[in-house]
């Protein structure tokens, strides 16, 4: 009896779903057809309007029935809740719908590359800025936005951030920030009478005292291997300082990592920190996500984080008191420079998009002063626009104060084909004794060589 | 073999066609065609695809690539999970075949893990295995503090820990296959041995096992194929780390794919394909040698 | 004699129930964490929540697109497992019964599908050529195509054990091949069909790769990608993540419980003897 009942429920469910599936299939096909035809009409009118009148006022633009797609990875620095709110406002005003598609972070780059290669990229995509955009072939895939009116309202850093190969391609919300440094617990430092370390030897001495007091000196999330990659990326400025023109040479493939002594020193010293037990015994289990809650417990004294961590994480960790923390540049290879970011992830328009005008309209909407006010009020970010006052949060002020004042671009954005995860994996092979510092550098060079050769053909 | 007219009429080939056509067009063509690219330098950043012979394979097997561990991990994972799934699955099936009042609920519970998404299973076990997770907590509770480990963070044991999750996940499926096969054991034969007073072990060995032969073959094949091709479970729990100690072939394939190194990634995929084929025929060969006739 | 047997059976039963803890404890862990507050969940302990936040589930349900995503997943999963089961069992029937050289080769071709890795770029190009990108049909057919090898494999080993006199009986009745397959064979295959359907359903329901690549509108995405939309939009809200994940796991459990009886009931006793 029960058997039969189960079966009939199942079969009814199956029949129903197939039926609705067919309906939905047909329905959406129809919708799509309708949307496409109405869209082509509206793009025609939209593209006609600028030629007719040079200054179309906002009220005159007819409402359009267009949907543009926007892809991003999952993660708090990609699409924020305020982005979604502003998208809703945008749709209300223009009729243009934005379909936000968020992909799993670890799949994102692969999917985007494959789709772009097949000519099926989304209308707007979020990608890494500056030289690191190279992996997505910006020249072939993304629209040159240099002549958009809002570009002139950006800060110089934001313009640099959105520029690839001389063309401005991407909008980004965030102004310059001082990049990553080592955040330290001021209470632990003062109770042990410690000073902010300026050299690697200082860092070792400080860590030794912290360790002796029963606190683990550094929270290092080795399970997220990209974090080890970031440590390395921070060595760009010191490398450049001692080897003039290094970054350019790396980007032209005329220099190799293995030839830079500072990088080898960095690797040896990073391993020393690990070998001396300053990362604690659970380092390989530690994850980035648990970093802030763990720092709160006071079991660790230092944690390498971006200098805008306090702004970024306020919403997520309302109980965490960032005022108790300061930050200093990673002093490996005796570095005291800052590896700055000109901005953050950029929004680019697909050259093959069928809705280029609507996509452009979205970017100019989110650059409008009233929209920006709303955006920054909610996000608390340092603005990327000249008209708005620059913000430096406390952590960043502390980091800048502890540096020697010199800055340069981080290798994460400044070097083509930089891949923090891949680099981090090699660095961790060093920690496990599977590679020597030299071999790590050679492995990175080898990966780059492959890409440059593939690109040359 | 010649087919009689009757067979032809009774079993017309057209019933086979829809499946073949669908599978051939949507699956076989694109995926086999991709193997051509294993011999090219196809890369997301390059505009030209050039034939480069065996260069990708040379690089995969070069000592500098450090891929040796990847092959070892894949083999360890596949063999360990297959063996344990069969042992546990068989044990559960024999115990739950009859005589237990709550056998239906128990069967349902033991089969359940495979119905849970791998992503969720992965998140679950990452936490359970963490140094201050449940597993170590339990060990400490029963006074085995010295047995505690950072289960997925110590390179020597990480692959075993991850593989154990697969055993946890899929033993119930092996059990289901064994149970289905056990229904084929004729009752009379079973009862006959009971009257003879054959001990449970002997009964299991001499009577039941031959009938389970097909199920063992099936489970071994499924276990080896899915074990060699494992991907998402490892990706979620450890992503191949720490220090590549849990990296298996399919993880490398995806990592290279994400980097845009399509040629290299496909070459790796082709090697995996050859391995699985080899394992398949190997398993078949071994079982053919020991085939037991029950009919 | 029989007394000691019941006793030993009871011991076995108790031992089995104890070992279910191995399965139930991890599940408890997820459910307990899905009921914690956003801050409490960050440390992910096995402790009971200070306050039970059933609200997490309500919050998940309130998000736009949740019913839509469930609907999409149901359409993808149910349609593809049905298509796959029907096509595969028909094909297996012929493959096993009409054991010719060609059919042996065809079986090996299907086998390749169980072994071969998928290449997303070439599949993408093919789907684009066939205009199957962003269509329900395309995704359903692709799922069905990728499930066929495993399903045929499963069917083959069971059909092989079915006595042939059943087919012959049908022929005497004058039934055509299709009718014989529908009225005689397919009902006998319930256990395998149920097994294949449950396994394929789970695979399809939990897959996010096909929609991620081959669907270009998020309104046609399924539940797993919805979960990621969530992580993206609401930071690392692990409380919601666990609640969402638990909800997403429910349908697979229900399908399993519905199919469970058939899976293990084995071949229908009346039809086969020995």
């Amino acid at each position: 009896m029960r058997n039969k009942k189960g079966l009939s429920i199942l079969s009814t469910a199956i029949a129903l779903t197939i039926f609705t599936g067919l309906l939905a299939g047909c329905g959406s096909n129809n919708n799509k057809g309708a949307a496409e035809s109405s869209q082509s009409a509206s793009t025609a009118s939209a593209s006609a309007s600028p030629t007719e009148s040079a200054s179309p006022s906002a009220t005159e633009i007819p409402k359009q029935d267009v949907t543009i797609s926007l892809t991003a990875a999952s993660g708090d620095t990609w699409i924020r809740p305020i982005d979604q709110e502003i998208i809703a406002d945008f749709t209300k005003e223009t009729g243009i719908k934005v379909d936000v598609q968020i992909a799993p972070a670890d799949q994102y780059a692969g999917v985007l590359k494959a789709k772009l290669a097949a000519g099926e990229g989304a209308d707007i995509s979020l990608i890494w800025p500056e030289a690191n955009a190279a992996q997505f072939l910006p020249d072939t895939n993304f629209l040159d936005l240099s002549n958009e009116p809002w570009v002139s309202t950006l800060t110089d850093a934001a313009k640099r951030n959105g520029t690839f190969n001389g063309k401005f391609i991407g909008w980004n919300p965030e102004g310059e920030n001082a990049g990553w440094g080592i955040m330290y617990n001021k209470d632990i430092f003062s109770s042990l009478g410690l000073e902010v370390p300026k050299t690697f030897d200082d860092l070792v001495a400080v860590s030794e005292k912290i360790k002796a007091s029963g606190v683990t000196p550094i929270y290092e999330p080795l399970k997220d291997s990209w974090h080890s990659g970031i440590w390395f990326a921070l060595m760009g400025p010191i490398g450049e300082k001692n080897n003039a023109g290094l970054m350019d040479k790396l980007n032209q493939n005329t220099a190799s990592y293995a030839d830079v002594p500072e990088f080898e020193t960095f690797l040896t010293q990073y391993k020393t920190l690990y070998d001396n037990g300053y990362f604690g015994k659970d380092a390989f289990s530690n994850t980035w996500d648990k970093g802030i809650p763990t720092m709160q417990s006071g079991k660790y004294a230092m944690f390498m984080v971006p200098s805008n961590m306090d702004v970024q994480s306020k919403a997520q960790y309302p109980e965490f008191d960032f005022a108790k923390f300061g930050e200093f540049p990673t002093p490996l290879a005796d570095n005291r420079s800052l590896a700055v970011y000109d901005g953050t992830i950029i929004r680019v328009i697909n050259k093959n998009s069928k809705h280029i005008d609507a996509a452009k309209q979205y970017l100019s909407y989110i650059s409008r002063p009233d929209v920006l006010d709303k955006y920054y009020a909610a996000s608390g970010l340092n603005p990327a626009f000249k008209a708005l006052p620059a913000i430096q949060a406390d952590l960043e002020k502390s980091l800048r104060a502890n540096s020697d004042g010199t800055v340069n671009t981080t290798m994460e954005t400044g070097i083509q084909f930089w891949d923090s995860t891949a680099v981090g994996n090699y660095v961790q092979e060093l920690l496990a004794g599977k590679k020597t510092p030299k071999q790590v550098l050679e492995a990175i060079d080898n990966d780059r060589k492959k890409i440059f050769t593939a690109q040359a053909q | 073999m010649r087919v009689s007219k009757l067979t032809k009429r009774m079993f017309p080939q057209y019933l086979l066609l829809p499946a073949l056509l669908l599978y051939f067009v949507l699956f076989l063509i694109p995926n086999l065609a991709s193997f051509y690219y294993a011999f090219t330098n196809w890369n997301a950043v390059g505009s030209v695809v050039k034939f480069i012979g065996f260069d990708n394979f040379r690089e995969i097997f070069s000592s500098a690539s450090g891929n040796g561990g990847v092959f070892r991990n894949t083999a360890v994972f596949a063999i360990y999970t297959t063996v344990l799934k069969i042992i546990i699955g068989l044990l559960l099936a024999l115990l739950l075949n009859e005589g237990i009042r709550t056998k239906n609920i128990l069967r349902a519970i033991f089969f359940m893990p495979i119905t849970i998404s791998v992503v969720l299973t992965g998140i679950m076990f990452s936490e359970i295995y963490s140094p201050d997770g449940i597993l170590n907590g339990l060990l400490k509770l029963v006074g085995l503090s010295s047995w505690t480990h950072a289960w997925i963070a110590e390179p020597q044991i990480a692959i075993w820990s991850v593989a154990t999750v697969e055993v946890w996940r899929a033993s119930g499926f092996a059990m289901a296959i064994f149970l289905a096969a056990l229904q084929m054991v004729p009752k009379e034969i079973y009862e006959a041995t009971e009257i003879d007073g054959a001990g449970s072990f002997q009964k299991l060995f001499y009577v039941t096992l031959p009938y389970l032969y097909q199920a063992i073959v099936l489970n071994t094949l499924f276990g080896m194929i899915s074990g060699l091709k494992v991907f998402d479970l490892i990706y979620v729990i450890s992503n191949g780390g720490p220090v590549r100690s849990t990296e298996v072939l399919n993880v490398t394939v995806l990592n290279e794919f994400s980097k845009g190194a399509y040629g290299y990634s496909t070459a790796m995929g082709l090697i995996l394909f050859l391995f699985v084929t080899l394992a398949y025929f190997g398993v078949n060969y071994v079982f053919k040698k020991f085939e037991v006739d029950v009919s | 004699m029989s007394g000691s047997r019941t006793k030993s059976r009871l011991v076995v039963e108790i031992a089995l129930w104890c070992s279910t803890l191995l399965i139930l404890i991890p599940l408890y862990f997820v459910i307990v964490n899905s009921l914690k507050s956003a801050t409490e969940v960050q440390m992910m302990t096995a402790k009971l929540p200070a306050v039970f936040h059933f609200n997490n589930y309500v919050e998940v349900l309130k998000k736009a697109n949740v019913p839509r995503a469930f609907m999409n997943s149901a359409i993808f999963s149910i349609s593809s497992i049905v298509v796959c089961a029907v096509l595969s069992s028909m094909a297996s029937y012929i493959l096993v019964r009409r054991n010719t050289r060609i059919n042996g080769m065809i079986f090996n071709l299907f086998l390749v599908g169980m072994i071969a890795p998928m290449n997303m770029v070439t599949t993408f190009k093919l789907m684009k050529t066939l205009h199957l990108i962003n269509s329900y049909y395309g995704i359903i057919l692709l799922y069905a195509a990728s499930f066929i090898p495993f399903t045929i494999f499963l069917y083959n080993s069971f059909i092989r054990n079915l006595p042939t006199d059943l087919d012959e009986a049908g022929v005497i009745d004058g039934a055509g091949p299709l009718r014989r397959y529908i009225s005689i064979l397919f009902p006998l295959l319930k256990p395998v069909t149920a097994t294949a359907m449950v396994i394929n359903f789970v695979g399809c329901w939990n897959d996010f790769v096909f929609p991620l690549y081959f669907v270009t509108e998020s309104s046609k995405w399924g539940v797993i990608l919805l979960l990621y939309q969530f992580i993206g939009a609401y930071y690392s809200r692990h409380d919601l993540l666990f609640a969402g994940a638990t909800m997403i796991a429910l349908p697979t459990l229900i399908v399993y419980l519905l199919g469970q009886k058939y899976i293990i009931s084995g071949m229908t006793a009346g039809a086969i003897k020995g």
Side-chain angles (χ1 to χ4, degrees):
Chain A
M1 262 314 272
R2 268 176 45 213
N3 261 354
K4 271 205 179 132
K5 204 172 168 194
L7 191 69
S8 66
I9 292 174
L10 195 63
S11 52
T12 322
I14 289 169
L16 265 175
T17 343
I18 292 179
F19 183 64
T20 44
L22 291 175
L23 280 184
C26 304
S28 69
N29 279 348
N30 290 343
N31 285 343
K32 204 184 154 213
E36 255 166 25
S37 55
S38 70
Q39 178 270 317
S40 55
S42 59
T43 15
S45 69
S47 55
S49 61
T51 46
E52 280 166 17
S53 59
S55 57
S57 70
T59 45
E60 272 170 36
I61 294 178
K63 290 218 172 180
Q64 309 170 55
D65 183 20
V66 183
T67 302
I68 52 175
S69 52
L70 181 151
T71 54
S74 61
D76 48 11
T77 51
W78 292 75
I79 289 289
R80 298 178 166 82
I82 181 68
D83 281 303
Q84 306 265 27
E85 271 177 50
I86 287 175
I87 282 170
D89 296 347
F90 172 67
T91 307
K92 217 180 279 166
E93 190 174 311
T94 61
I96 301 171
K97 293 184 203 71
V98 182
D99 181 20
V100 180
Q101 305 174 356
I102 295 171
D106 41 19
Q107 304 265 341
Y108 181 67
V111 174
L112 184 56
K113 276 175 205 165
K115 285 195 173 180
L116 288 171
E120 287 281 333
D123 301 316
I124 298 175
S125 295
L126 274 70
I127 62 166
W128 290 276
E130 296 193 49
N132 206 0
Q135 53 180 317
F136 302 106
L137 302 182
D139 290 337
T140 347
N141 290 321
F142 306 127
L143 208 63
D144 182 356
L145 302 173
S146 307
N147 297 324
E148 291 298 298
W150 49 266
V151 176
S152 60
T153 65
L154 290 170
T155 62
D156 289 342
K159 278 183 204 157
R160 274 199 306 279
N161 188 64
T163 302
F164 182 85
N165 215 1
K167 284 181 216 126
F168 181 84
I169 54 166
W171 183 98
N172 116 83
E174 197 178 343
E176 193 179 27
N177 73 66
W180 297 64
I182 297 179
M183 181 175 87
Y184 66 99
N185 187 322
K186 286 185 198 162
D187 292 348
I188 295 179
F189 268 56
S190 64
S191 72
L192 294 172
L194 301 172
E195 300 234 338
V196 168
K198 293 190 167 66
T199 62
F200 177 70
D201 291 339
D202 289 351
L203 180 66
V204 171
V206 161
S207 301
E208 199 53 53
K209 285 195 186 127
I210 294 172
K211 197 181 159 197
S213 78
V215 173
T216 312
I218 300 170
Y219 182 87
E220 181 57 1
L222 291 179
K223 193 165 181 211
D224 292 309
S225 48
W226 55 265
H227 197 259
S228 300
I230 301 278
W231 279 83
F232 194 169
L234 295 180
M235 294 296 116
I238 185 93
E240 175 77 26
K241 199 191 258 176
N242 299 349
N243 313 268
L246 175 68
M247 298 273 232
D248 285 338
K249 283 185 205 154
L250 284 172
N251 278 332
Q252 287 147 14
N253 196 25
T254 52
S256 48
Y257 281 82
D259 298 335
V260 183
E262 286 75 16
F263 293 164
E264 203 174 329
T265 312
F266 155 76
L267 288 170
T268 316
Q269 294 179 344
Y270 185 71
K271 184 165 162 52
T272 308
L273 295 179
Y274 173 77
D275 288 345
N276 290 359
Y278 301 152
F279 294 166
K281 65 174 174 39
D282 292 335
F284 272 104
S285 305
N286 289 343
T287 61
W288 168 253
D289 281 347
K290 285 192 189 163
I292 293 296
T294 311
M295 288 305 285
Q296 192 156 23
S297 71
K299 285 182 201 148
Y300 291 83
M302 295 178 266
F303 181 24
M304 205 265 292
V305 299
S307 57
N308 53 9
M309 190 76 184
D310 44 357
V311 182
Q312 303 263 12
S313 310
K314 224 179 270 165
Q316 197 179 348
Y317 307 108
E319 287 144 44
F320 190 79
D321 186 6
F322 279 97
K324 286 189 179 155
F325 291 83
E327 195 169 16
F328 58 89
T330 52
L332 277 73
D334 293 343
N335 168 59
R336 294 198 61 208
S337 298
L338 295 175
V340 296
Y341 288 73
D342 290 325
T344 180
I345 289 149
I346 53 174
R347 300 175 194 189
V348 296
I349 299 181
N350 184 358
K351 258 187 192 169
N352 296 319
S353 162
K354 292 182 190 112
H355 311 295
I356 284 179
D357 288 305
K360 278 186 178 171
Q361 219 174 318
Y362 167 70
L363 291 187
S364 55
Y365 179 84
I366 56 176
S367 307
R368 228 168 60 185
D370 56 320
V371 178
L372 288 175
D373 286 342
K374 184 172 177 181
Y375 186 88
Y376 291 113
S379 67
L381 292 177
N382 178 27
F385 292 81
K386 277 188 289 200
L388 296 160
I391 297 171
Q392 261 181 32
D394 293 342
L395 213 51
E396 175 158 3
K397 278 185 196 143
S398 161
L399 177 62
R400 286 190 188 268
N402 286 321
S403 77
D404 66 2
T406 57
V407 299
N408 213 316
T409 317
T410 167
M411 290 202 276
E412 197 196 356
T413 55
I415 303 285
Q416 287 192 46
F417 312 119
W418 175 271
D419 179 343
S420 289
T421 306
V423 170
N425 278 329
Y426 292 134
V427 173
Q428 296 194 358
E429 286 188 60
L430 167 82
L431 298 186
K434 284 185 170 175
K435 275 191 164 71
T436 64
K438 201 92 198 167
Q439 281 168 336
V440 171
L441 298 173
E442 282 164 2
I444 299 170
D445 282 329
N446 189 38
D447 281 355
R448 286 163 42 84
K449 202 176 75 197
K450 265 194 283 181
I451 300 173
F452 277 111
T453 345
Q455 203 183 27
Q457 275 144 0
Chain B
M1 200 193 300
R2 303 247 349 230
V3 188
S4 71
K5 256 205 171 121
L6 181 69
T7 316
K8 266 191 192 164
R9 226 186 51 224
M10 273 178 62
F11 309 108
Q13 203 75 355
Y14 64 77
L15 285 181
L16 172 61
L17 274 182
L20 185 61
L21 201 71
L22 180 62
Y23 160 75
F24 195 80
V25 172
L26 281 188
F27 191 92
L28 208 58
I29 292 183
N31 296 315
L32 286 191
S34 78
F35 284 148
Y36 162 75
Y37 294 109
F39 304 94
T40 68
N41 69 343
W42 189 21
N43 193 300
V45 299
S47 42
V48 186
V49 179
K50 205 177 80 181
F51 187 82
I52 53 167
F54 285 91
D55 283 7
N56 285 327
F57 296 90
R58 240 169 257 140
E59 181 161 359
I60 287 169
F61 290 112
S62 74
S63 57
S65 73
N67 286 331
V70 176
F71 291 106
R72 184 191 144 268
N73 295 336
T74 314
V76 164
F77 187 96
I79 296 171
Y80 171 78
T81 53
T82 306
V83 171
L84 277 194
K85 275 190 244 178
I86 289 180
I87 294 175
I88 296 173
L90 184 59
L91 199 69
L92 287 176
L94 289 171
L95 292 176
L96 289 172
N97 188 33
E98 54 180 327
I100 306 261
R101 271 172 306 143
T102 45
K103 66 177 185 224
N104 282 342
I105 309 176
L106 283 165
R107 285 170 179 181
I109 293 175
F110 285 115
F111 190 85
M112 205 159 57
I114 206 169
T115 63
I116 300 166
S117 96
V118 175
V119 178
L120 186 55
T121 308
I123 297 174
M124 229 154 70
F125 274 92
S126 309
E127 297 304 332
I128 288 169
Y129 277 146
S130 84
D132 42 9
I134 302 182
L135 181 56
N136 282 344
L138 280 178
L139 286 172
K140 279 177 199 153
L141 201 69
V142 295
L144 292 170
S145 299
S146 58
W147 288 23
T148 56
H149 280 282
W151 297 99
I152 43 174
E154 292 173 24
Q156 299 82 10
I157 55 170
I159 186 73
W160 304 95
S161 307
V162 181
T164 305
V165 180
E166 172 65 13
V167 175
W168 179 86
R169 209 177 76 81
S171 289
F173 178 61
M175 171 196 76
I177 291 182
F178 281 127
L179 275 174
L182 277 176
Q183 316 307 314
M184 315 272 300
V185 181
K187 275 251 156 56
E188 311 88 75
I189 297 190
Y190 221 74
E191 280 154 11
T193 53
E194 258 170 55
I195 294 160
D196 295 347
S200 296
F201 180 75
Q202 277 168 308
K203 190 167 102 184
L204 160 74
F205 202 79
Y206 292 110
V207 182
T208 320
L209 220 50
Y211 283 93
L212 292 177
Y213 173 77
Q214 275 295 336
I216 293 175
V217 178
L218 207 60
N219 270 326
T220 312
L221 289 175
F222 281 158
M224 285 305 285
I225 292 175
S226 66
L228 289 171
K229 286 176 77 177
V230 65
F231 166 68
D232 33 13
L233 189 69
I234 291 189
Y235 206 70
V236 182
I237 298 184
S238 64
N239 195 4
V243 221
R244 301 187 78 185
S245 63
T246 57
E247 188 172 324
V248 293
L249 278 165
N250 249 343
V251 170
T252 320
V253 169
L254 189 100
N255 283 344
E256 294 297 328
F257 180 87
S258 300
K259 284 188 205 163
Y262 298 145
Y264 186 86
S265 165
T266 328
M268 206 81 181
L270 180 56
I271 292 172
L272 176 60
F273 174 70
L274 294 177
F275 273 177
V276 185
T277 314
L278 216 66
Y280 177 83
F281 286 110
V283 169
N284 257 341
Y285 176 77
V286 171
F287 276 109
K288 280 258 156 61
K289 270 200 126 170
F290 297 103
E291 178 142 26
V292 208
D293 196 15
V294 284
S295 56
Chain C
M1 177 76 190
S2 80
S4 78
R5 274 189 60 160
T6 357
K7 217 179 190 177
S8 72
R9 275 188 183 160
L10 197 69
V11 172
V12 168
E13 193 165 358
I14 290 168
L16 282 168
W17 273 107
C18 289
S19 51
T20 57
L21 285 180
L22 287 175
I23 285 161
L24 297 176
I25 288 177
L27 297 180
Y28 156 83
F29 181 77
V30 172
I31 293 167
V32 125
N33 277 295
S34 74
L35 294 170
K36 288 182 184 174
S37 71
T39 35
E40 215 181 343
V41 78
Q42 275 161 5
M43 290 323 287
M44 301 244 212
T45 56
K47 283 190 206 103
L48 282 174
V51 183
F52 283 88
H53 286 252
F54 290 104
N55 206 23
N56 290 343
Y57 286 84
V58 181
E59 214 176 315
V60 170
L61 274 174
K62 269 197 292 198
K63 303 288 175 231
N65 285 337
V66 170
R68 181 85 207 220
F70 269 88
M71 192 65 199
N72 288 336
S73 282
I75 292 171
F76 291 148
S77 315
I78 298 179
S79 312
S80 63
I81 63 172
V82 171
V83 171
C84 172
V86 171
L87 299 192
S88 306
S89 58
M90 281 197 314
S92 275
Y93 182 47
I94 304 301
L95 282 177
V96 173
R97 291 290 195 252
R98 187 168 169 172
N99 192 7
T100 58
R101 196 113 147 258
I102 288 188
N103 282 354
M105 273 157 58
I106 292 178
F107 175 70
N108 282 336
L109 267 189
F110 280 121
L111 198 70
V112 167
M114 244 168 80
I115 299 172
M118 270 196 94
N119 186 305
M120 282 304 163
V121 179
T122 43
T123 307
F124 196 100
K125 285 187 174 158
L126 179 89
M127 294 284 283
K128 201 183 162 191
T129 322
L130 297 175
H131 297 288
L132 289 177
I133 299 281
N134 206 28
S135 108
Y136 282 97
Y137 299 112
I139 304 287
I140 290 165
L141 291 177
L142 190 62
Y143 274 124
S146 64
F147 295 150
I148 280 176
F150 164 80
T151 314
I152 285 195
F153 202 80
L154 209 58
Y155 273 121
N156 267 24
S157 54
F158 279 81
I159 294 180
R160 220 173 273 144
N161 290 328
L162 285 181
T164 45
D165 32 316
L166 282 168
D167 307 320
E168 280 147 24
V171 173
I172 295 160
D173 291 348
L178 198 62
R179 251 208 53 208
R180 246 181 307 121
Y181 155 79
I182 293 170
S183 60
I184 301 177
L185 190 88
F186 200 66
L188 286 179
L189 292 174
K190 260 187 226 156
V192 209
T193 308
T195 311
M197 278 188 164
V198 169
I199 298 288
N200 289 340
F201 182 90
V202 171
C204 190
W205 187 266
N206 291 320
D207 176 76
F208 60 84
V209 175
F210 286 4
L212 189 58
Y213 276 90
F214 306 117
V215 173
T216 56
E217 292 166 45
S218 65
S219 60
K220 289 183 189 168
W221 278 1
V223 285
I224 300 279
L225 283 176
L226 183 84
L227 206 59
Y228 279 101
Q229 298 278 71
F230 237 68
I231 306 174
Y234 301 94
Y235 292 16
S236 310
R237 287 287 301 273
H238 279 98
D239 51 337
L240 296 189
L241 178 70
F242 276 120
T246 311
M247 265 170 42
I248 285 170
L250 270 182
T252 53
L253 258 174
I254 292 167
V255 167
Y256 163 60
L257 290 177
L258 287 177
Q260 196 262 129
K261 287 236 152 183
Y262 298 94
I263 293 182
I264 336 209
S265 71
M267 301 305 186
T268 6
I272 338 148
K273 271 261 156 96

